[in-house]
Amino acid sequence: MSPTSETLTAERILEATEEVLRRHGPAKATVVDVARALGVSHGSVYRHFRTKAALREAVTKRWLDRTSEALSGIVAAEDRDPETRLRDWLTALFDAKRHKAGDDPELFATYTVLTDENGDVVGAHIADLTGQLTRIVRAGVEAGAFHAASPEATARALFQATGRFHDPGYARAWEQPGVREEFEAVVDLLVRGLRQ
């Protein structure tokens, strides 16, 4: 089936946009390039995304949501103790960011530019992640495993304390020798603090 005979969906447009961004970078990628990749007119793309900025925002959200969705399974694993879930969640976040940066550095650099443009999307992503952490901390408090006067404030502190291991600004440090050990030392320290 040719691209033009398939139904044009927002998801297909986002997939094509990601490929165009990978090929051309954020400075040179255009809606016309996306339309050309799909074999449609740029007007067809604009029917789904009213502006180039809206398209870039949607593709950024889609990229960030992949991480959130992967982590949500750890949060939902209530058959595991909260400490294990917390360690697994922080490790999965670190690993996801490292893989995004290391497996496709061009696309990672592109998304770094796009996330700078889309502060609201990034803010919502961070709120989602700290919300996930809050659920884990609250479960730990309820189980008597963690001590935290405010699970929400504690979750934000955990997120900030581990920023070096998930904030894209530190991506170059993620491949340095010993970074895994540094990460584990920080997580051990934080977990010990939660047990007090």
Side-chain angles (χ1 to χ4, degrees):
M1 188 182 298
S2 73
T4 54
S5 64
E6 294 177 33
T7 303
L8 186 62
T9 63
E11 184 62 23
R12 282 192 57 230
I13 293 169
L14 293 174
E15 288 171 6
T17 301
E18 191 168 282
E19 281 306 311
V20 167
L21 285 166
R22 180 180 282 116
R23 238 178 299 135
H24 301 291
K28 294 182 180 175
T30 68
V31 174
V32 172
D33 293 326
V34 173
R36 189 176 300 124
L38 290 164
V40 300
S41 72
H42 66 281
S44 297
V45 174
Y46 281 124
R47 279 194 273 291
H48 289 272
F49 298 97
R50 300 193 62 72
T51 64
K52 179 180 176 180
L55 177 58
R56 288 165 76 103
E57 180 178 307
V59 79
T60 302
K61 182 180 182 320
R62 179 178 182 260
W63 188 68
L64 294 172
D65 285 350
R66 287 182 191 137
T67 300
S68 297
E69 290 164 9
L71 296 171
S72 67
I74 296 168
V75 177
E78 295 178 7
D79 57 323
R80 294 188 298 178
D81 67 275
E83 181 178 324
T84 299
R85 286 166 49 205
L86 177 61
R87 287 177 182 277
D88 289 351
W89 191 93
L90 291 169
T91 301
L93 177 61
F94 180 39
D95 288 344
K97 298 292 181 158
R98 282 181 73 193
H99 287 298
K100 283 183 177 186
D103 295 349
D104 197 343
E106 294 83 12
L107 193 59
F108 185 78
T110 292
Y111 277 108
T112 300
V113 170
L114 294 180
T115 55
D116 286 346
E117 291 176 4
N118 293 289
D120 290 345
V121 172
V122 173
H125 175 66
I126 291 170
D128 181 39
L129 294 179
T130 56
Q132 289 184 16
L133 269 175
T134 299
R135 285 181 54 197
I136 295 170
V137 172
R138 185 173 291 120
V141 170
E142 290 169 359
F146 297 156
H147 298 280
S150 168
E152 294 84 2
T154 300
R156 285 191 303 274
L158 287 166
F159 191 77
Q160 292 167 357
T162 57
R164 180 172 179 268
F165 305 102
H166 55 77
D167 183 319
Y170 294 98
R172 286 189 175 166
W174 299 341
E175 297 305 319
Q176 297 299 315
V179 72
R180 174 64 66 178
E181 292 78 11
E182 292 171 14
F183 167 76
E184 290 170 359
V186 168
V187 171
D188 286 344
L189 178 68
L190 294 170
V191 170
R192 281 196 308 274
L194 282 171
R195 288 191 207 129
Q196 306 277 330

